[in-house]
Amino acid sequence: MAGHTIAITGANRGIGLEMARIFAERGDRVIALCRKASEALQATGAQIVENVEVTSIEALRSCAWPEDAPHIDVLINNAGILTDEDFDSLDQPHAIDQLKRQHEVNAIGPLLVTRMFADRLKQGSKVALITSRMGSIDDNDSGGRYGYRMSKAALNAGGKSLAVDLAPRGISVGILHPGAVRTEMTGGRGQVDAPDAARMLVERIDELGPETSGEFRHANGETLPW
């Protein structure tokens, strides 16, 4: 589907940056949405829209969207944050603040972005939510990471509702886990490098359609438990 317009939040680093590279190199028009561009993002040739705060309706409404890009073929909600809260820390003020912030960015942010750019989506457009297997309730056998797990579970629920609500408009929604990726956000820990995770995510987005809309999938194509 080269030659399409791809909008990516959180495109200045990690998986978002690698997806921007892949789409740009194959000839897609990439609009990179971020708070502040990195040199690596600038080198991709993407059109960069800075000062994008995914939790702010005002910031999303006022962002400097390119005037000659009326439609979005693929909207990728990739921006996210990760902090660590265990059970014993839950009575600490910083832990509660972290829980709230992760919910705002990871769960509410993608809904706001999708709603604010809904008029730029058209029949056949796709919305991808980069979520996490850690949001799976059935798959949780290690506990901890309360804010991240809860925010991603909420995102998964929101993604399913988006798939239902956007279906009459001919828009498909992918709920995608990239794998355990070695990035700055994870402190370099994980099982797959960001370029490889991004390549698999692009493959899943390319094949996304009405028949798979609303499904929770691993980047490798595996269907994941809720």
Side-chain angles (χ1 to χ4, degrees):
M1 57 178 292
H4 289 73
T5 297
I6 317 292
I8 309 174
T9 66
N12 60 316
R13 65 178 185 173
I15 300 169
L17 172 63
E18 297 302 332
M19 285 192 288
R21 283 196 181 115
I22 292 171
F23 284 118
E25 288 174 357
R26 76 180 196 181
D28 290 307
R29 179 180 189 176
V30 177
I31 300 175
L33 307 167
C34 57
R35 286 184 291 180
K36 183 174 176 57
S38 62
E39 290 184 5
L41 177 59
Q42 292 170 341
T44 67
Q47 290 181 270
I48 298 171
V49 178
E50 292 186 299
N51 301 312
V52 174
E53 172 52 63
V54 299
T55 64
S56 169
I57 292 175
E58 292 74 19
L60 292 169
R61 184 176 286 134
S62 62
C63 70
W65 186 265
E67 292 183 2
D68 62 341
H71 300 300
I72 300 172
D73 294 295
V74 179
L75 173 61
I76 303 176
N77 287 285
N78 168 73
I81 58 173
L82 166 68
T83 57
D84 188 10
E85 307 80 31
D86 60 19
F87 178 75
D88 291 331
S89 73
L90 292 180
D91 58 349
Q92 300 300 312
H94 78 277
I96 301 304
D97 290 341
Q98 289 176 181
L99 291 175
K100 292 177 180 178
R101 183 59 178 164
Q102 286 175 100
H103 189 74
E104 290 173 352
V105 174
N106 296 345
I108 298 175
L111 296 183
L112 285 182
V113 170
T114 304
R115 180 63 192 92
M116 296 306 294
F117 293 142
D119 290 344
R120 300 186 184 278
L121 302 173
K122 54 185 174 43
Q123 185 168 353
S125 290
K126 305 176 184 184
V127 174
L129 308 178
I130 307 306
T131 183
S132 173
R133 189 171 192 160
M134 289 181 71
S136 169
I137 296 172
D138 193 53
D139 192 53
N140 183 358
D141 58 7
S142 58
R145 296 280 187 184
Y146 282 86
Y148 193 71
R149 288 188 185 280
M150 293 167 68
S151 65
K152 291 298 188 177
L155 175 59
N156 292 350
K160 182 65 176 181
S161 284
L162 281 178
V164 173
D165 292 338
L166 296 180
R169 306 186 192 190
I171 299 169
S172 300
V173 178
I175 307 168
L176 302 172
H177 164 60
V181 187
R182 289 183 282 268
T183 65
E184 180 181 337
M185 188 175 81
T186 64
R189 296 183 296 274
Q191 300 172 345
V192 60
D193 291 324
D196 294 324
R199 175 184 51 78
M200 291 188 289
L201 288 170
V202 169
E203 290 173 357
R204 301 289 79 75
I205 292 168
D206 282 347
E207 69 186 23
L208 175 64
E211 66 283 353
T212 57
S213 184
E215 295 183 358
F216 181 24
R217 289 183 175 270
H218 193 293
N220 65 15
E222 174 189 358
T223 299
L224 296 174
W226 296 106

